[in-house]
Amino acid sequence: MVQTVSSNEAANQVENASSSLVEVIETVIASLDSGQTAMVNRSEEGHVWKFKYGTVEVFVQLTGLSEEDTLMVWAAVLKLPAKDEPKLMRQLLEKNWSDTLEARFSIMNNEVVVVTNRSIADLSPGELSRAITIVATIADESDEPLIAEFGT
């Protein structure tokens, strides 16, 4: 027997799943944010959270609550320009291969950042938690050594 779902029921299911994503994000941030520095900006464009983890500021952006929307997590680790940028870029590319799991080093607004992003379609609470934790941890472990070696 095939069970049909009305459009209202489907919308409610999507809304409940989406609000649970927001709850998961806030729970993960609360567990990582020992200094209780977290802030959130809610708008029509989505949600952006900011919190401090160790020595870095971590940003979590949810562009909306539909399956086509995205989750992006990032944290800056080094301002550019830097000393010996060719060596820095090589080192970051090597780390992208071996050390960053689902995240990666990138450049945004003249800063080296650790970032991960994906659509929220079929995003589980575990994947969400892992994405935030990986970016926060890699950024916190990387910023001071990178600044010491390549900072200006």
Side-chain angles (χ1 to χ4, degrees):
M1 180 167 134
V2 175
Q3 186 176 14
T4 59
V5 177
S6 73
S7 59
N8 285 342
E9 289 172 323
N12 286 339
Q13 288 174 357
V14 168
E15 186 176 318
N16 290 340
S18 300
S19 66
S20 71
L21 284 179
V22 170
E23 290 171 9
V24 170
I25 291 170
E26 291 179 348
T27 300
V28 172
I29 289 172
S31 74
L32 295 174
D33 181 25
S34 60
Q36 298 178 343
T37 61
M39 295 186 290
V40 62
N41 180 14
R42 293 176 176 89
S43 70
E44 289 182 14
E45 290 82 39
H47 298 69
V48 177
W49 292 263
K50 177 175 91 168
F51 68 98
K52 189 94 166 153
Y53 182 77
T55 56
V56 295
E57 283 190 332
V58 181
F59 295 84
V60 179
Q61 180 181 31
L62 192 59
T63 61
L65 300 174
S66 73
E67 288 197 357
E68 295 81 33
D69 286 306
T70 60
L71 167 76
M72 183 168 11
V73 184
W74 75 94
V77 295
L78 178 67
K79 291 190 182 303
L80 296 175
K83 291 186 269 186
D84 200 357
E85 284 193 22
K87 181 180 177 186
L88 169 64
M89 296 306 148
R90 180 179 182 95
Q91 184 174 327
L92 295 177
L93 284 171
E94 289 171 350
K95 286 179 177 290
N96 278 349
W97 173 253
S98 62
D99 298 348
T100 57
L101 305 168
E102 294 88 28
R104 64 195 175 283
F105 286 96
S106 188
I107 296 174
M108 179 176 77
N109 298 330
N110 283 320
E111 291 183 308
V112 174
V113 297
V114 179
V115 63
T116 190
N117 63 339
R118 66 157 285 185
S119 75
I120 65 170
D122 301 321
L123 180 63
S124 74
E127 290 171 304
L128 184 54
S129 175
R130 181 174 168 88
I132 296 169
T133 303
I134 284 173
V135 168
T137 302
I138 291 172
D140 185 48
E141 291 173 354
S142 301
D143 67 325
E144 291 173 313
L146 288 173
I147 291 167
E149 185 171 354
F150 299 105
T152 56

